[in-house]
Amino acid sequence: MLGIHDLSFRIGDRMLLDGATATLPAGARVGLVGRNGAGKTTLFRIIAGEVAPERGEVRLPARSRIGRLPQEAPNGPRCLLDVVLGADCERAELLGQAETERDPARIAEIHTRLADIAAHSAPARAAEILAGLGFSHDQQQRPCSEFSGGWRMRVALAATLFAEPDLLLLDEPSNYLDLEATLWLRERLACYPRSLIIISHDRDLLDNAVDRILHLHAGKLALYRGGYTQFERQRRERQALDRKLASEQLRERKRVMAFVERFRAKATKARQAQSRLKLLERMQPIAAAVDHAVRPIEIAPPATPLSPPIVALEGVCVGYGSDRPVLRRLDLRIDDDDRIALLGANGNGKSTLIKLLAGRLVPTSGRLTRAQGLEVAYFAQHQLDELDERETVVEHLRRCMADAPEATLRARAGALGFPGEMADTPAGQLSGGEKARLLLGLATARGPHLVLLDEPTNHLDVDSRSALIEAVNAYPGAVIVVSHDRYLIEACAERLWVVGDGRVMPFDGDLDEYSEQVLRERGTGSERGHPVPRIGQRQGSTRAQRRRAAAERRVELGPLRRRITAAEATVARLNAEIARIDALLADPFLFAREPARAAALAKARSEHASALAEAEEEWLAASAEQESALG
């Protein structure tokens, strides 16, 4: 059992943890969630004993082993398998003692303990974990130093999983993984035999790998049963109840205060008035939980549509040298409204295909045809390092919108989530999620016809990922996405292309079937009694039929989206007008000085309030119709 008692911790003048308390039962698999910057990683460091809290304590059973991913990836001449095996310190120590021990009794103890911890099957278990994370048998025998930083972090994750600590702490482990390895990790964590806490913004992982959600908000911790979807439902219900109770309490306070003000001066009622004042003092205010709304993400639509296909590839080969192509014989077509997800393990060529479509690479052979006037937006996570940390948001926008006036630049900054003074924030002071928003805005500033997204969610929290999904679904052009976030793919993609063995082939099943195939190939999938379609296998309707159906559905939903947008604009306008009138009516001398104007303002406010109620009803009705149409 893990006990977190009254933890408080601050960085500078900012309180990250403020009396945070929670109790996690033994064997619990917990997802730790909260907005970026809420203090999740800080809580991990306190649990691991790396930093001391200002107040409070963390209680763990005696001799508990805590496992956490190291800050630096492993390196050196040892092969991957030996690095993972070395994570079990007890096994390594016992094997060393077995080589040098001479006392027969001690040798017997050593071998008994080795049998107890299944030491002789350890190489097979380590190899299984490495294979699940995408390493072939030959790669497992290669030195760690031959791999890039991202792949070495996978080795670190494999070593941590292999050690099976009593409390496993994982901070965004899927950031280093492709979709295929993420699916394997989800299955592995879902049956982890000891306690687990994972920080993740991947909804699919949190829905399938954990049985509790620990929510960190405003320095406090709240524990919920179930996965992320159940947590969201329970939190909304709790917020609605808190708002109702807070409203009822406010009415009661007003009633008591009215009594006090009325009878305070009367001798016969003074004692009752004083008792009610004491009642008010004892009445603890109920804090109605209010979410800080995440600013929407906007992708500028293309100024002029293009006739399909916008990109066509015929017999194209591409790579980083004519003698070593990564992808061969590509025959692909991209239409103006396509929604395509690229699947396949890292290293198979997904990013190479994205760079080819973005114009960063040219074909070594074959023919690539782009529609005249085609604008392409390319977003990749490595571009975060390309931002000039000294330049502000507005200055970055000015570089890609050189002819735009200052007002247009600031309006665009506001649309990206940087309103007012935030537009003058240097890039070096932005969080990872804010940098990702800025990069996406820079890439799409010209209204592209084709948006290429290469792992766009790594620095985004759950709410920002939802905003990205809404932006992609509202955008009328073509989108191609590479992501390990299954929820994003399921919400946005209508076609699946699998990149592997130097080819790009359509996958005509759905993502569940693809996931099952991946898990079977990696040895963790369950047999379900039905065949899993292989890459390129035909099933159900044809691609053209599905593409036409998807396009027809978007056309049908167009009027609904316009109704929703119009209703939102009306609600915003009426709210602003009501706020303006309320500010005027707040003048205590208005009714005495200009009674006719005051009466007119009061009447106008009533009319606006009625119109606001109608607009909100229209928005709710249109939103419900859209949700019903989307299934």
Side-chain angles (χ1 to χ4, degrees):
M1 185 177 72
L2 169 65
I4 301 171
H5 299 278
D6 197 29
L7 283 187
S8 293
F9 188 88
R10 74 175 70 235
I11 296 179
D13 59 352
R14 184 181 173 204
M15 184 68 79
L16 290 180
L17 301 172
D18 186 10
T21 300
T23 300
L24 308 182
R29 300 189 308 279
V30 180
L32 177 57
V33 302
R35 289 283 174 81
N36 284 340
K40 302 185 295 295
T41 300
T42 298
L43 179 59
F44 262 24
R45 297 183 65 197
I46 293 174
I47 293 173
E50 297 175 7
V51 296
E54 294 179 9
R55 188 179 72 245
E57 62 178 345
V58 174
R59 297 175 185 170
L60 280 165
R63 295 184 296 279
S64 292
R65 295 180 302 122
I66 299 177
R68 189 175 175 213
L69 279 175
Q71 296 294 319
E72 295 184 3
N75 207 345
R78 286 196 301 168
C79 72
L80 304 190
L81 192 61
D82 286 344
V83 171
V84 174
L85 289 171
D88 189 342
C89 298
E90 182 185 11
R91 174 182 177 275
E93 183 179 350
L94 289 172
L95 288 175
Q97 292 177 9
E99 294 290 330
T100 58
E101 186 61 52
R102 295 292 180 266
D103 180 9
R106 177 56 184 157
I107 292 174
E109 290 177 2
I110 291 172
H111 284 282
T112 299
R113 181 56 184 164
L114 286 171
D116 289 342
I117 63 174
H120 299 296
S121 66
R125 287 185 282 114
E128 177 195 357
I129 294 173
L130 284 168
L133 292 174
F135 295 97
S136 67
H137 175 75
D138 291 339
Q139 289 173 325
Q140 294 175 23
Q141 313 304 318
R142 288 166 51 189
C144 198
S145 56
E146 292 186 7
F147 293 86
S148 66
W151 283 95
R152 284 188 282 116
M153 285 306 299
R154 292 196 189 199
V155 178
L157 176 59
T160 306
L161 292 172
F162 174 75
E164 286 195 354
D166 301 302
L167 175 60
L168 176 60
L169 304 177
L170 296 177
D171 192 345
E172 291 289 359
S174 60
N175 275 2
Y176 309 104
L177 307 180
D178 49 38
L179 175 65
E180 290 71 16
T182 301
L183 292 170
W184 177 89
L185 178 66
R186 184 192 72 185
E187 299 298 309
R188 185 82 183 192
L189 296 181
C191 57
Y192 188 72
R194 297 181 174 84
S195 297
L196 160 72
I197 306 178
I198 177 173
I199 297 173
S200 180
H201 299 303
D202 187 324
R203 291 182 60 147
D204 182 66
L205 188 64
L206 293 174
D207 266 336
N208 291 280
V210 304
D211 52 29
R212 289 170 176 81
I213 295 292
L214 187 62
H215 184 216
L216 177 56
H217 176 69
K220 306 292 186 183
L221 289 170
L223 186 63
Y224 297 79
R225 285 187 174 274
Y228 189 85
T229 300
Q230 293 96 318
F231 153 71
E232 277 286 357
R233 177 180 53 77
Q234 295 175 60
R235 185 166 66 107
R236 298 299 181 198
E237 292 172 354
R238 178 180 293 186
Q239 288 175 341
L241 179 60
D242 286 348
R243 285 193 292 268
K244 180 179 178 181
L245 293 176
S247 178
E248 292 175 354
Q249 187 186 74
L250 180 61
R251 285 195 297 270
E252 178 64 13
R253 293 179 70 90
K254 287 181 178 179
R255 188 186 67 80
V256 172
M257 281 302 301
F259 180 91
V260 171
E261 294 297 330
R262 184 178 178 185
F263 296 111
R264 188 196 300 254
K266 291 188 177 183
T268 58
K269 297 287 188 178
R271 180 170 294 179
Q272 294 182 35
Q274 288 299 319
S275 69
R276 280 166 171 75
L277 280 176
K278 292 179 181 178
L279 174 64
L280 283 179
E281 292 175 1
R282 292 194 299 270
M283 193 181 294
Q284 294 294 324
I286 298 172
V290 178
D291 277 342
H292 299 288
V294 172
R295 290 187 174 273
I297 295 175
E298 296 182 12
I299 300 177
T304 55
L306 300 176
S307 298
I310 56 175
V311 179
L313 291 78
E314 300 175 46
V316 166
C317 294
V318 63
Y320 302 91
S322 58
D323 57 334
R324 50 188 184 99
V326 176
L327 299 173
R328 303 178 299 277
R329 301 189 301 279
L330 301 182
D331 294 300
L332 304 171
R333 169 189 171 124
I334 301 171
D335 288 343
D336 59 327
D337 60 352
D338 270 334
R339 296 288 195 277
I340 301 169
L342 300 184
L343 308 178
N346 282 355
N348 279 353
K350 298 190 300 293
S351 293
T352 299
L353 177 59
I354 289 285
K355 291 176 182 177
L356 172 68
L357 298 174
R360 304 290 179 94
L361 292 174
V362 296
T364 56
S365 63
R367 181 180 179 184
L368 188 153
T369 306
R370 292 184 173 88
Q372 187 173 3
L374 178 67
E375 286 281 351
V376 179
Y378 172 48
F379 173 91
Q381 283 302 316
H382 66 79
Q383 293 174 326
L384 265 64
D385 299 328
E386 297 176 9
L387 290 173
D388 189 329
E389 296 195 348
R390 295 167 297 180
E391 287 191 1
T392 66
V393 172
V394 167
E395 288 170 343
H396 276 96
L397 285 170
R398 187 175 291 116
R399 279 200 289 168
C400 64
M401 302 171 65
D403 299 330
E406 186 72 12
T408 301
L409 292 174
R410 293 193 172 272
R412 181 61 181 160
L416 297 179
F418 303 97
E421 295 180 357
M422 285 189 67
D424 297 313
T425 305
Q429 296 179 18
L430 300 177
S431 67
E434 289 169 336
K435 288 180 179 179
R437 276 177 172 265
L438 176 56
L439 275 172
L440 184 61
L442 295 175
T444 60
R446 294 181 175 274
H449 303 91
L450 171 62
V451 176
L452 307 172
L453 302 175
D454 193 350
E455 293 293 356
T457 63
N458 277 1
H459 297 279
L460 301 180
D461 58 27
V462 175
D463 294 325
S464 295
R465 292 184 185 203
S466 297
L468 176 63
I469 289 170
E470 292 177 8
V472 170
N473 287 337
Y475 168 68
V479 178
I480 298 180
V481 61
V482 176
S483 178
H484 64 262
D485 189 326
R486 175 174 173 167
Y487 186 80
L488 172 72
I489 294 175
E490 287 184 326
C492 297
E494 294 165 353
R495 303 171 65 192
L496 303 177
W497 287 357
V498 179
V499 183
D501 298 326
R503 303 296 304 276
V504 179
M505 300 292 292
F507 186 84
D508 286 333
D510 60 19
L511 203 52
D512 283 334
E513 292 168 315
Y514 180 76
S515 302
E516 182 70 12
Q517 174 175 309
V518 169
L519 295 176
R520 286 185 185 181
E521 290 173 350
R522 300 199 177 194
T524 58
S526 60
E527 297 294 330
R528 295 185 179 177
H530 57 79
V532 176
R534 305 300 298 177
I535 295 173
Q537 179 178 331
R538 310 293 298 182
Q539 182 176 7
S541 60
T542 66
R543 284 176 288 157
Q545 289 172 335
R546 291 201 311 279
R547 185 165 58 245
R548 283 196 299 272
E552 289 170 0
R553 185 174 64 172
R554 285 198 293 275
V555 171
E556 291 171 359
L557 292 179
L560 276 178
R561 292 198 183 101
R562 287 192 288 273
R563 278 177 58 194
I564 292 171
T565 302
E568 288 174 344
T570 302
V571 168
R573 178 179 59 79
L574 290 172
N575 275 322
E577 187 63 20
I578 289 173
R580 184 187 69 81
I581 293 174
D582 285 343
L584 294 173
L585 292 176
D587 182 358
F589 303 106
L590 179 63
F591 285 87
R593 189 175 62 246
E594 301 177 81
R597 185 185 178 212
L601 286 173
K603 181 181 179 182
R605 191 196 188 285
S606 177
E607 293 172 351
H608 287 324
S610 298
L612 176 61
E614 293 177 3
E616 289 174 341
E617 286 294 331
E618 168 66 10
W619 181 85
L620 287 171
S623 298
E625 286 184 41
Q626 184 184 45
E627 290 179 5
S628 177
L630 291 173

